[in-house]
């Protein structure tokens, strides 16, 4: 009996972990079964895709709440579709549609969604943060090879430019 209780506790912990990942990732996630019925939709997907309407979504046919999802197409083809751009009203979304295959049969599709504008903002924050820390060179002057007068003169000029805070091309 203790082994069964421990197994159940470990399964509950795994389920809780997966639910937390599912609902607190930046990506919107949606899954349908092989008949096109919605199985799960996470909170980011609800916010990202305004045409979904009001929850609950579970059990609804995908075309009735999200007509241009293209998920039924992946159920039929069994082929994943990666990095596809979709336009929802004023929002451009990058999506992956991946079939769930069990014993050679498509049993459903999982789709992930990312708001392209949010990706741009994150990228801009990363660039600003990197710039604040200063630009980092890949090589140093010790990596230069050559002892000719022309090379020594080029290194001397480069060292004077290196003192500048500006980027040098």
């Amino acid at each position: 009996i203790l082994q069964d209780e421990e197994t159940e506790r470990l399964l509950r912990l795994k389920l809780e972990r997966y639910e937390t990942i599912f609902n607190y990732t930046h990506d919107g996630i949606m899954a349908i079964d092989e008949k096109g019925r919605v199985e799960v939709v996470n909170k980011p997907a609800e916010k990202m895709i305004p045409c979904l309407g009001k929850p609950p979504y579970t059990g609804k046919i995908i075309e009735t709440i999200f007509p241009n999802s293209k998920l039924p197409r992946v159920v039929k083809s069994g082929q994943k579709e990666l990095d596809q751009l979709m336009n929802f009203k004023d929002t451009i979304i990058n999506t992956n549609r991946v079939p769930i295959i069990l014993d050679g049969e498509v049993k459903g599709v999982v789709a992930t969604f990312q708001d392209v504008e949010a990706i741009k903002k994150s990228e801009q924050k990363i660039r600003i943060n990197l710039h604040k820390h200063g630009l980092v060179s890949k090589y140093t002057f010790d990596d230069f090879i050559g002892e000719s007068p022309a090379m020594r003169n080029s290194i001397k000029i480069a060292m004077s430019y290196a003192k500048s805070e500006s980027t040098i091309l």
Side-chain angles (χ1 to χ4, degrees), residues 31 36 39 42 51 70-72 76 78 87 89-90 105 110 116-117 119 124 132 138 148-149 153 162:
E39 291 187 321
N42 73 348
C51 64
K70 301 179 184 168
L71 296 178
K76 288 179 186 169
N87 197 347
K89 298 182 182 179
D90 295 332
E105 292 183 38
V110 172
V116 172
E117 201 56 43
I119 294 170
Q124 186 177 21
K132 283 180 186 176
K138 190 173 183 179
S148 70
N153 189 41

Side-chain angles (χ1 to χ4, degrees), residues 102-167:
L102 182 66
D103 297 328
E105 292 183 38
V106 177
K107 295 295 182 182
V109 177
V110 172
T112 59
F113 306 94
Q114 293 178 315
D115 182 341
V116 172
E117 201 56 43
I119 294 170
K120 284 182 190 177
K121 287 178 184 176
S122 293
E123 187 177 271
Q124 186 177 21
K125 284 181 187 177
I126 291 167
R127 288 178 195 271
I128 288 169
N129 197 22
L130 286 174
H131 189 69
K132 283 180 186 176
H133 288 89
L135 301 174
V136 179
S137 65
K138 190 173 183 179
Y139 300 102
T140 67
F141 291 111
D142 293 333
D143 293 316
F144 282 89
I145 299 171
E147 292 296 324
S148 70
M151 184 57 106
R152 281 190 294 215
N153 189 41
S154 295
I155 292 171
K156 184 179 173 184
I157 293 169
M159 286 178 153
S160 70
Y161 284 132
K163 294 174 186 173
S164 169
E165 290 294 319
S166 299
T167 57

